[in-house]
Amino acid sequence: MSVLDRIGQKLLFSFDPETAHGLSIAALRCGLPVGGTSPRGARLPTRDARLKVSLCGLDFPNPLGMAAGYDKNAEVPDALLELGFGFAEVGTITPLPQPGNPKPRIFRLTADEAVINRLGFNNEGHAAAEKRLAARKGRPGIVGVNIGANKDSADRIADYERGVARFAQHASYLTVNISSPNTPGLRNMQAREQLGELLSRVMAARAAASAQPPVFLKIAPDLVEAELEDIAAEVAEKKIDGVIVSNTTLARTGLRSATAAGEAGGLSGKPLFGRSTAVLARMRKLLGPDMAIIGVGGVDSTEAALEKIRAGADLVQLYTGMIYAGPALPGRIVAGMARFAEREHLKSIGELRDTGCARWSEQL
């Protein structure tokens, strides 16, 4: 981390986590220099043909993306792309605005380089996000939209159908998020019967929409083998385009931050890396070589990103890692990937995929 990044982190860490998050969004929205990199393009992201990934009809300039949860209301996707990300995912967005769970609801576990959150899909709703996404029409860059259901919805599957209908024309891809632990009962939709109905209706909604972007399913890391097998079967049967592995975890194994570790919510950051990567590898084995998979959870360095690819990921996402390593992290990771490809004489970073899949899947 640069000196400027360290100063910026110290400043942000003087605020509570949710205020710090809002300030970082405001900085990007206003075009202020962040971590030595200007959202207005003063430093160009690393461009290397060996890092390009073609997947689901999309051409990603590099395999590193910003995960959902940071830009919940689609306020700064283009600024994120200019930090060096190959793609950005906004959301989770629900049909109606909702405040989420009571504050405080984000907790830093600094000793573990982790975060626990129980936000509960706080966002401004479909209309506000659609207005922003429609305004960026014609701009370059891959921007995915993560859709969810309102907490008090009478028909949660219908909420996902509404998300598809609303954002299909604006999204490079859509992510169906049923794996947040912070909306009561949401993870139950990963059970096979409910999942089958959900995916059938989502794909029908996409077929009826004005555009047909790829659809990804985001799953939890806390699933057992039988549940992973059921999900893989439904994903294949319903012809979903890809899977994102994984969301936050309810596990608290091995944490050093004793006080905050007792807080309810989903854990993200470095402690999630092992479990999420093992689940990723297992899903690659279950789904086969042709299914698109995005790996997320504990990515905070070039080596961590490369290890996700070795385990079976086509693309990689991060969020919490940037809280602890600074906003220049995506640029450093992408530059590190380019150096690795050069050193290993790779024609494409995709040559690395699955080389560690067997090893990682055995750790589940």
Side-chain angles (χ1 to χ4, degrees):
M1 187 187 293
S2 69
V3 173
L4 190 57
D5 280 343
R6 290 184 188 280
I7 294 170
Q9 184 195 64
K10 187 173 182 179
L11 176 62
L12 288 176
F13 274 36
S14 69
F15 296 95
D16 70 87
E18 193 154 354
T19 299
H21 175 264
L23 289 171
S24 70
I25 291 282
L28 288 172
R29 190 173 58 240
C30 295
L32 297 176
V34 180
T37 304
S38 168
R40 294 296 175 258
R43 179 184 299 172
L44 293 174
T46 299
R47 297 286 181 180
D48 191 309
R50 291 166 297 191
L51 301 186
K52 292 181 180 179
V53 178
S54 294
L55 195 70
C56 301
L58 299 171
D59 294 320
F60 297 80
N62 70 66
L64 184 69
M66 171 57 95
Y70 177 74
D71 188 9
K72 289 179 174 291
N73 296 302
E75 296 178 87
V76 291
D78 294 292
L80 289 171
L81 294 174
E82 290 179 7
L83 289 180
F85 287 110
F87 63 108
E89 186 171 317
V90 302
T92 298
I93 307 169
T94 58
L96 300 176
Q98 61 181 28
N101 294 320
K103 298 178 182 180
R105 52 195 182 178
I106 309 177
F107 307 89
R108 298 187 191 102
L109 285 68
T110 306
D112 299 289
E113 296 183 41
V115 166
I116 291 174
N117 91 81
R118 51 172 180 263
L119 288 163
F121 286 172
N122 58 309
N123 74 107
E124 297 173 3
H126 280 182
E130 184 186 25
K131 183 177 180 180
R132 296 184 183 111
L133 290 168
R136 72 173 301 276
K137 185 176 182 180
R139 295 180 192 171
I142 295 174
V143 177
V145 178
N146 185 301
I147 56 174
N150 282 113
K151 180 179 179 179
D152 58 356
S153 175
D155 185 348
R156 285 181 172 173
I157 295 180
D159 282 8
Y160 289 97
E161 292 175 308
R162 293 186 188 101
V164 172
R166 193 109 191 206
F167 294 109
Q169 63 180 318
H170 304 298
S172 301
Y173 67 88
L174 293 166
T175 296
V176 176
N177 184 2
I178 55 171
S179 50
S180 169
N182 300 317
T183 298
L186 188 75
R187 284 190 170 190
N188 295 338
M189 298 180 79
Q190 295 174 118
R192 187 160 189 176
E193 185 175 348
Q194 289 190 57
L195 181 63
E197 182 183 357
L198 169 70
L199 297 183
S200 291
R201 287 170 61 177
V202 161
M203 296 306 280
R206 186 185 70 168
S210 57
Q212 285 76 44
V215 172
F216 292 80
L217 176 70
K218 188 167 187 176
I219 66 173
D222 305 315
L223 300 162
V224 299
E225 175 69 19
E227 292 170 319
L228 294 174
E229 291 174 356
D230 285 347
I231 289 171
E234 289 298 328
V235 163
E237 181 182 318
K238 303 305 188 297
K239 294 182 170 52
I240 301 301
D241 297 284
V243 177
I244 301 180
V245 187
S246 68
N247 214 312
T248 57
T249 181
L250 294 173
R252 299 291 188 266
T253 306
L255 296 178
R256 293 181 289 169
S257 307
T259 303
E263 295 290 346
L267 174 75
S268 62
K270 192 182 286 287
L272 180 56
F273 181 81
R275 175 70 187 186
S276 63
T277 307
V279 173
L280 157 65
R282 185 61 190 143
M283 287 303 290
R284 172 58 71 198
K285 288 222 165 196
L286 290 168
L287 292 167
D290 298 327
M291 177 66 67
I293 298 181
I294 301 177
V296 56
V299 174
D300 59 1
S301 65
T302 295
E303 184 51 41
L306 293 174
E307 199 60 26
K308 290 283 188 185
I309 297 173
R310 292 186 185 101
D314 297 288
L315 303 169
V316 179
Q317 291 177 322
L318 63 80
Y319 172 9
T320 303
M322 206 161 76
I323 295 173
Y324 291 99
L329 178 64
R332 292 199 301 268
I333 289 178
V334 173
M337 286 181 166
R339 289 193 298 270
F340 176 84
E342 174 72 21
R343 186 173 68 248
E344 299 297 320
H345 307 292
L346 301 179
K347 294 181 179 179
S348 167
I349 197 69
E351 294 176 34
L352 195 64
R353 205 199 80 179
D354 298 344
T355 56
C357 185
R359 169 171 50 86
W360 273 105
S361 65
E362 291 170 357
Q363 298 183 35
L364 188 61

